[in-house]
Amino acid sequence: MEVIFVLIGVSLVLAITFLILFFKAMKDGQFDDGYTPSVRILFENQPKKSNKDQPKQSKSYE
């Protein structure tokens, strides 16, 4: 039964360690996205126009 208290203590120490490492990595900018903003301009999304907004094309047979 005493081993459960040891395991709880060890798990708390591990959890706090990983939490500290996560915040340290976040502060250092490891999760910043440096690639997507430079590529986003190449794939610019244009708003879709409905058929009502588009002008009617005249048919030319020339």
Side-chain angles (χ1 to χ4, degrees):
M1 184 68 183
E2 290 127 7
V3 74
I4 194 83
F5 297 114
V6 173
L7 290 175
I8 290 173
V10 169
S11 65
L12 284 175
V13 169
L14 281 175
I16 291 171
T17 302
F18 283 118
L19 186 65
I20 291 170
L21 290 175
F22 172 73
F23 282 121
K24 183 180 180 204
M26 196 170 69
K27 185 178 178 182
D28 291 341
Q30 187 172 358
F31 299 112
D32 288 348
D33 188 11
Y35 178 71
T36 302
S38 63
V39 175
R40 187 178 304 150
I41 194 167
L42 299 174
F43 301 107
E44 184 175 329
N45 292 334
Q46 296 180 355
K48 292 182 179 180
K49 294 181 181 179
S50 64
N51 287 339
K52 295 178 182 177
D53 295 339
Q54 293 179 351
K56 293 184 179 181
Q57 296 178 352
S58 61
K59 295 180 182 177
S60 63
Y61 296 100
E62 297 175 8

